[in-house]
């Protein structure tokens, strides 16, 4: 796909006119029009300014640059490479400090990269109850899979609705082929048309995940964090999800599982 077509798609996705984008990026609207219709080959500097005005991610910026024949501007360093050692150290510190509660590290496509012992204990308890989970590291897929996390989620329709809205919001913001593949995969695991699209009315300040594992009811909510100073594609896309108990019974269960004092 040509850079101009990609640029126009992202501009329309964000509902920005050519004139507005040109003004925000400091380029002429005529030149932008020529770029979008393929009559002009944009410079790397111009594309980076347009990417900034569109609030594109580092991966999307690289994609735009390479489509125009320019080298990518940002590195894509694997998490296991030596250069990422400080990042791995920071991630492991966050995961460890969150014990005895679960915490995971995800990429932009909901794939599990790292998990702390509390998360591993939850998965082990699920496997002990119903057998092996599907062979995937995708958290979204496991949540929708009838042989994955789904049987353990008491409020699955609400959780599924929340996750599906999140995924579709991501797709609306960035037409990522990997996210489209994930959406299609979810459609093979569940009837997406039957999942509620509206946020349920609630007096609670947050969505609570309700799990039932071995007859133990667990109520938890989560937070998402990311690195705010990333200049690498992989680092920018990392998300740290930390789960917190929503009641004392859940907190006690996690403490007992970790071998801590189960008292108040």
């Amino acid at each position: 796909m040509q850079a101009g077509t990609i640029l126009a798609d992202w501009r329309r996705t964000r509902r920005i006119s050519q004139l507005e984008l040109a003004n925000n990026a400091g380029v002429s609207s005529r030149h932008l029009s020529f770029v979008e219709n393929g009559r002009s080959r944009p410079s790397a500097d111009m594309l980076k300014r347009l990417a900034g005005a569109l609030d594109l991610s580092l991966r999307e910026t690289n994609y735009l640059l390479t489509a125009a024949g320019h080298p990518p501007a940002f590195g894509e360093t694997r998490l296991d490479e030596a250069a990422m050692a400080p990042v791995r150290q920071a991630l492991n510190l966050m995961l460890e400090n969150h014990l005895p509660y679960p915490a995971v590290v995800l990429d932009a496509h909901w794939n599990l990269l790292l998990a702390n012992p509390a998360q591993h204990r939850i998965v082990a308890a699920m496997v002990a109850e119903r057998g092996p989970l599907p062979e995937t590291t995708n958290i979204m897929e496991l949540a929708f899979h009838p042989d994955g996390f789904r049987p353990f989620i008491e409020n699955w329709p609400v959780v599924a609705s929340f996750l599906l809205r999140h995924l579709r919001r991501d797709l609306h913001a960035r037409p990522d082929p990997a996210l489209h593949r994930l959406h299609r995969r979810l459609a093979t695991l569940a009837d997406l048309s039957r999942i509620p699209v509206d946020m349920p009315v609630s007096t609670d300040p947050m969505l609570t995940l309700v799990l039932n594992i071995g007859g133990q009811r667990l109520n938890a909510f989560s937070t998402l964090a990311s690195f705010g100073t990333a200049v690498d594609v992989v680092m920018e896309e990392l998300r740290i999800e930390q789960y917190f108990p929503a009641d004392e019974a859940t907190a006690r269960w996690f403490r007992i599982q970790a071998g801590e004092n189960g008292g108040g």
Side-chain angles (χ1 to χ4, degrees):
M1 189 180 294
Q2 293 185 341
T5 303
I6 296 169
L7 191 63
D9 285 346
W10 270 321
R11 179 179 58 77
R12 284 190 287 267
T13 295
R14 283 155 173 74
R15 298 179 182 178
I16 300 175
S17 68
Q18 278 188 345
L19 180 60
E20 184 180 2
L21 176 57
N23 288 338
N24 291 342
V27 302
S28 76
S29 57
R30 185 169 182 269
H31 192 185
L32 176 58
S33 176
F34 283 3
V35 168
E36 288 193 358
N37 62 30
R39 294 176 61 186
S40 177
R41 181 177 182 269
S43 67
D45 179 67
M46 178 185 181
L47 288 176
K48 283 187 282 189
R49 279 187 284 149
L50 289 168
L54 286 169
D55 194 28
L56 298 187
S57 69
L58 303 186
R59 182 181 296 279
E60 291 162 345
T61 301
N62 279 351
Y63 182 48
L64 186 61
L65 287 166
T66 55
H70 301 295
F74 304 102
E76 191 171 341
T77 312
R78 294 196 319 271
L79 192 57
D80 60 356
E81 292 187 36
M84 292 287 268
V87 177
R88 291 197 305 275
Q89 185 177 17
L91 291 171
N92 286 323
L93 181 63
M94 284 186 274
L95 296 183
E96 187 73 18
N97 285 345
H98 196 61
L99 291 171
Y101 309 124
V104 298
V105 177
L106 308 171
D107 66 14
H109 304 117
W110 298 83
N111 295 305
L112 179 68
L113 303 178
L114 296 170
N116 70 0
Q119 176 67 19
H120 290 308
R121 283 192 286 269
I122 283 185
V123 172
M126 291 178 175
V127 171
E129 183 175 341
R130 294 182 60 94
L133 296 174
E135 294 185 1
T136 177
T137 59
N138 190 276
I139 293 294
M140 186 85 75
E141 187 175 345
L142 283 169
F144 277 73
H145 204 295
D147 297 321
F149 296 161
R150 180 174 173 177
F152 300 95
I153 305 175
E154 282 195 3
N155 60 336
W156 186 82
V158 175
V159 172
S161 176
F162 182 85
L163 292 174
L164 195 56
R165 282 197 304 276
H166 200 315
L167 176 59
R168 286 170 173 167
R169 187 166 61 243
D170 283 350
L171 277 170
H172 181 74
R174 51 190 181 96
D176 186 327
L179 290 178
H180 278 290
R181 288 194 296 272
L182 176 57
H183 190 272
R184 289 195 296 270
R185 173 60 176 153
L186 298 186
T188 69
L189 298 173
D191 185 352
L192 302 188
S193 66
R194 297 178 65 87
I195 296 175
V197 295
D198 297 327
M199 180 69 76
V201 177
S202 173
T203 57
D204 296 328
M206 68 284 181
L207 171 68
T208 299
L209 172 67
V210 184
L211 296 176
N212 193 312
I213 304 176
Q216 175 66 52
R217 199 166 190 261
L218 304 174
N219 298 279
F221 61 94
S222 68
T223 64
L224 278 175
S226 60
F227 290 101
T229 57
V231 290
D232 179 273
V233 171
V234 172
M235 186 174 175
E236 182 189 49
E237 292 178 344
L238 293 174
R239 293 180 289 180
I240 305 96
E241 186 163 18
Q242 297 172 304
Y243 289 87
F244 295 85
D247 54 45
E248 179 53 31
T250 301
R252 187 181 304 112
W253 186 88
F254 281 116
R255 292 197 299 267
I256 292 172
Q257 294 301 307
E260 299 181 8
N261 183 1

